[in-house]
Amino acid sequence: MEEEQEPQKSAAAMTPEEPEPCASEETPPEITLALRVNRVDAAVWGKANECMLKLAEAVQALRIPHGQVGSPFAFTLDLQRIPGLRVQVCTAQGFDRFGLTVQAESGQLRVEGVPTEEFDGAVTLHIHYAMEIEARKTLTLLPDPRSLWKEIEPAADEGYPREHCAVRELAIPEGKRVLAASVRGRSHAHEGKFRDDAFALEQDLSTGWLYLAVADGAGSARFSRKGAEMACEGTIRFLRENMARLPEGELEAHLKQWRTSPEDAEARGNSQLDKVFHRALYDAWFAVNGEAEQRGAKMRDYYTTLLVAAVKRFDFGWFIANYWVGDGAVALLGADGAPEVRILGKPDGGEFAGETRFFTMKEEITEENIRGRLRYSFVSDFDALFLMTDGVSDPFFEAEADLFNPERWERLTADLEEKTRFEAKDLLEWLNFWSRGNHDDRTLVVVR
Amino acid sequence: MRRLPVYILIDTSGSMSGEPIEAVKNGMQAMMSALRKDPYALETAYLSVITFAGDVVQTKPLTEVAQFQPPAVSAGGGTSLGGALKKVAECAEREVVKSTVDQKGDWKPLVFLMTDGMPTDNFDAGLAEFKKQKWGMVVACAAGAQADTKTLMRITECVVRLDAADSNAIAAYFKWVSSSISTGSKKIDEGRTELSSLGELPPPPPEITLVKS
């Protein structure tokens, strides 16, 4: 519709056709927005007061949402319900400083952009129509939440100092690779605490066994980082030494028999693996216990989860023996070419099974409990074997049921593929992924 | 994302008018600017405000910290404490996501209730509705000498008292509520567990005394 001049009005209510320079240019720190409203429809002729009231209402109802630095932000002043008016931005001052633009079109005023700077102050709004409307609104641009996480070094006299991250890569002869990385979580960095997660890898080329472990020291236990480290390293060292002592031909013969009847308790017993694992865990447990005594601390000061796997390729295929206590996950993807995921143990996060269990609890080191937590898998081949602490599993698998959902695993592997191509050098950065409310230490070991 | 819902219940009866209600507004402003700087609360806590006088109004539905703008509050007649308890139970029923096998719901809501007088409505009926919901920590604050701690003890074992409902004490209360929300958010982030006892809250400032049963 063509813009038309309203025939007659008092001088005070006259709206000049030419945009006029608006006042208040002499207050630079303030953000001001001056709008000029024109009648474009004959229908509103003579209804200046009515329009004025509606405009005032719209302005009063305007509540500007809070913006955040770095996140898309917008607010609108809707003038659609006052048909026949056209809004023009007369002056928009101070918005560009915050990365915001102001537009007025089709009866709507729109301020948008990605805020570049924090602000908490007033926006003065002038609307020039039949008369001036002036309103002050609060504009709050909050800091980027990510910038609020601080990186604080632990105190120099904190015991058991360790690196804030660790990464390793191993090529194994069977054409697969092992990647491992661990990072200190944002919450630990924010509090000036050390990383409580740990991992360990060992490859024994003489026997062909590969040993993997991850552990998550309990946040409430003051020396849990040492517990996690000792649990991983102790178990793996013992396994490496003692698996090498098992007569190789005999073990393979037992496994071959066991493979054909997985429920065969006798074959399981003959393999000696329950015993070796029990002794390895027992050995690591006592090492932690000794450390606690020496330090005059309690075993509960060293509480940690533990996820261990021993992997070897035999003539008949791959064999994986693993133990898992506490939260986190051990998963086998694409076993025997099947699309489903095999979770190698019982997830026992605190949410579902009462309290989280820890390796360092006395009752966990009994032969019966260890036996119950051991899993043995025979597979012709597999796509990936994952061991992870809850810092990784929680953001990707919110509920326990999600762990058994292949699509969730697909999402994880696709993300890793896209962002790291499963290269160790990119894995550390990947582990810093942003997930609201999830800022624990993160540790991931993958064989693929 | 599992949220930590926080319900803030404020008595806006006539006796709160003037200095106390102004202190409540300022207290909420100060609380929000503190929480907005706390990355734990910013990501985890969701706040709602329910005011009660003769009427009970949820003046703010459950809103994340970043988007929370303190509501306008004004004082009126009556102290519908029972109605407030009923209302918060209804709001929690509607707003708080329950856990199922396939989904982890929200954390149990925290409740911070402040009143300066005796209930003038059917308190027992409201209390019965309130008790049907699952709550995390429930803290009831008796503001000033007129508030009835015995009634509050029936709502929760965590009852605190402000000696006077003046601006200092109310400011201290909101500061304490704010740091309690921070503590609760941090506990969830770090330990995946909830606040469960008064002892886990930050120590109350001198203006706030714990009421022993």
Side-chain angles (χ1 to χ4, degrees):
Chain A
M1 170 128 343
E2 284 296 305
E3 190 167 325
E4 288 176 48
Q5 191 83 39
E6 190 176 7
Q8 277 199 354
K9 265 287 152 196
S10 72
M14 270 301 251
T15 314
E17 274 311 284
E18 299 305 313
E20 58 175 359
C22 297
S24 73
E25 267 160 5
E26 57 272 22
T27 49
E30 280 224 346
I31 304 186
T32 35
L33 182 55
L35 304 175
R36 203 168 68 99
V37 181
N38 292 322
R39 286 164 293 257
V40 290
D41 189 334
V44 293
W45 282 2
K47 293 186 180 168
N49 284 343
E50 200 180 312
C51 289
M52 206 57 216
L53 270 173
K54 282 186 179 170
L55 260 180
E57 267 171 30
V59 170
Q60 200 185 0
L62 172 68
R63 287 206 99 177
I64 306 178
H66 293 168
Q68 266 177 350
V69 172
S71 303
F73 165 74
F75 70 89
T76 55
L77 177 62
D78 190 7
L79 300 170
Q80 291 282 38
R81 57 183 169 152
I82 313 159
L85 296 183
R86 196 179 73 184
V87 185
Q88 283 178 316
V89 177
C90 184
T91 342
Q93 183 184 296
F95 288 92
D96 51 348
R97 201 182 110 202
F98 299 98
L100 302 177
T101 59
V102 183
Q103 277 178 330
E105 54 188 28
S106 51
Q108 195 189 53
L109 169 75
R110 187 174 173 82
V111 176
E112 65 183 330
V114 176
T116 52
E117 221 182 293
E118 287 171 47
F119 182 74
D120 194 7
V123 174
T124 313
L125 200 64
H126 297 276
I127 299 188
H128 194 92
Y129 181 48
M131 53 193 272
E132 283 293 317
I133 297 176
E134 185 175 308
R136 281 166 77 82
K137 297 283 168 183
T138 304
L139 175 67
T140 306
L141 302 175
L142 300 170
D144 181 346
R146 300 178 198 209
S147 71
L148 295 174
W149 293 101
K150 298 183 206 127
E151 286 260 354
I152 298 173
E153 282 307 307
D157 58 351
E158 265 314 286
Y160 302 123
R162 57 204 302 252
E163 296 292 321
H164 295 325
C165 61
V167 62
R168 262 192 84 188
E169 185 173 357
L170 274 180
I172 54 176
E174 290 78 14
K176 292 194 190 288
R177 283 193 310 145
V178 187
L179 298 171
S182 177
V183 297
R184 178 167 77 146
R186 281 183 199 91
S187 59
H188 282 169
H190 192 72
E191 308 292 324
K193 290 178 183 163
F194 283 113
R195 174 171 55 104
D196 289 339
D197 272 11
F199 72 81
L201 307 179
E202 284 259 14
Q203 183 179 210
D204 186 348
L205 289 169
S206 62
T207 61
W209 281 100
L210 170 70
Y211 304 103
L212 321 161
V214 305
D216 173 7
S220 53
R222 58 186 171 140
F223 299 139
S224 65
R225 57 187 172 282
K226 188 65 178 175
E229 198 178 280
M230 290 181 76
C232 286
E233 286 171 5
T235 310
I236 276 186
R237 191 182 318 114
F238 190 97
L239 284 175
R240 179 188 172 132
E241 283 166 15
N242 291 275
M243 294 285 271
R245 293 192 185 130
L246 292 179
E248 206 184 328
E250 258 179 58
L251 176 64
E252 184 160 1
H254 291 312
L255 291 181
K256 267 185 181 159
Q257 190 198 335
W258 186 10
R259 183 174 155 256
T260 52
S261 53
E263 301 307 313
D264 187 341
E266 200 187 330
R268 178 171 173 167
N270 286 339
S271 77
Q272 306 276 326
L273 288 171
D274 282 359
K275 264 191 196 147
V276 178
F277 264 88
H278 183 201
R279 283 169 52 213
L281 294 164
Y282 198 74
D283 193 68
W285 193 93
F286 262 88
V288 177
N289 196 53
E291 177 70 24
E293 271 175 19
Q294 207 182 357
R295 189 121 188 161
K298 294 209 161 56
M299 199 57 174
R300 65 167 55 247
D301 293 326
Y302 292 80
Y303 268 5
T304 179
T305 69
L306 181 62
L307 301 83
V308 188
V311 182
K312 184 175 172 176
R313 181 170 182 140
F314 289 90
D315 292 342
F316 58 76
W318 291 86
F319 176 71
I320 299 162
N322 75 284
Y323 169 85
W324 165 7
V325 60
D327 45 28
V330 184
L332 191 62
L333 270 59
D336 296 325
E340 73 259 29
V341 50
R342 288 194 204 170
I343 298 300
L344 305 182
K346 230 171 91 189
D348 56 0
E351 274 308 295
F352 304 99
E355 278 297 285
T356 302
R357 307 301 302 172
F358 294 110
F359 162 68
T360 23
M361 288 172 165
K362 210 173 190 169
E363 52 278 24
E364 283 301 337
I365 209 67
T366 64
E367 193 173 349
E368 194 193 343
N369 277 342
I370 288 176
R371 214 182 134 84
R373 292 186 181 283
L374 282 167
R375 293 286 183 281
Y376 300 104
S377 313
F378 297 88
V379 290
S380 57
D381 200 1
F382 60 92
D383 291 340
L385 169 68
F386 280 101
L387 283 78
M388 61 182 72
T389 60
D390 65 341
V392 178
S393 60
D394 275 0
F396 279 92
F397 310 95
E398 283 143 27
E400 190 184 314
D402 295 338
L403 268 182
F404 298 88
N405 181 350
E407 284 168 24
R408 293 280 186 150
W409 286 94
E410 176 56 36
R411 199 184 301 172
L412 169 65
T413 45
D415 198 53
L416 274 164
E417 179 67 52
E418 183 199 330
K419 292 174 184 148
T420 71
R421 299 191 178 282
F422 288 94
E423 296 290 342
K425 63 179 172 51
D426 295 323
L427 200 54
L428 278 181
E429 200 191 321
W430 181 85
L431 280 176
N432 281 321
F433 62 81
W434 183 263
S435 169
R436 184 170 174 161
N438 291 305
H439 305 294
D440 201 359
D441 297 342
R442 293 172 181 158
T443 302
L444 178 69
V445 172
V446 53
V447 184
R448 70 188 293 277
Chain B
M1 237 300 289
R2 308 181 67 188
R3 309 175 299 173
L4 172 63
V6 181
Y7 287 96
I8 295 173
L9 276 58
I10 301 165
D11 182 343
T12 52
S13 57
S15 49
M16 288 289 287
S17 64
E19 184 186 336
I21 208 83
E22 287 309 310
V24 164
K25 287 183 202 162
N26 294 338
M28 278 200 283
Q29 285 287 2
M31 174 174 80
M32 291 322 297
S33 52
L35 292 179
R36 278 183 214 137
K37 293 188 186 85
D38 171 16
Y40 297 103
L42 202 52
E43 294 187 23
T44 308
Y46 281 66
L47 272 57
S48 166
V49 173
I50 292 170
T51 56
F52 59 100
D55 292 328
V56 181
V57 184
Q58 188 187 26
T59 42
K60 206 79 193 169
L62 220 46
T63 307
E64 66 172 319
V65 167
Q67 282 308 328
F68 188 93
Q69 308 194 9
V73 285
S74 56
T79 303
S80 303
L81 183 54
L85 292 175
K86 183 165 178 264
K87 175 70 93 180
V88 71
E90 283 166 11
C91 294
E93 176 66 31
R94 189 178 65 240
E95 295 176 328
V96 177
V97 180
K98 311 283 180 301
S99 282
T100 65
V101 183
D102 299 322
Q103 181 196 355
K104 281 187 188 175
D106 291 329
W107 297 96
K108 291 203 283 293
L110 305 181
V111 177
F112 295 93
L113 179 156
M114 186 175 78
T115 178
D116 76 337
M118 309 271 277
T120 56
D121 65 344
N122 189 342
F123 174 77
D124 288 345
L127 184 64
E129 290 300 312
F130 182 78
K131 295 279 185 193
K132 285 182 193 162
Q133 286 291 323
K134 279 193 177 161
W135 303 102
M137 288 283 298
V138 177
V139 178
C141 173
Q146 297 305 310
D148 176 13
T149 51
K150 281 212 179 63
T151 306
L152 298 182
M153 298 295 281
R154 293 178 57 203
I155 305 172
T156 173
E157 56 199 12
C158 304
V159 177
V160 298
R161 174 184 279 290
L162 307 179
D163 287 333
D166 61 17
S167 49
N168 268 346
I170 290 174
Y173 172 72
F174 276 101
K175 203 170 169 193
W176 183 63
V177 169
S178 163
S179 49
S180 299
I181 295 170
S182 289
T183 303
S185 306
K186 186 175 155 198
K187 193 155 189 258
I188 283 169
D189 190 290
E190 289 190 337
R192 295 280 185 260
T193 55
E194 298 166 283
L195 291 172
S196 54
S197 73
L198 199 52
E200 290 172 322
L201 295 182
E207 292 85 350
I208 298 178
T209 22
L210 301 180
V211 178
K212 301 269 163 25
S213 50

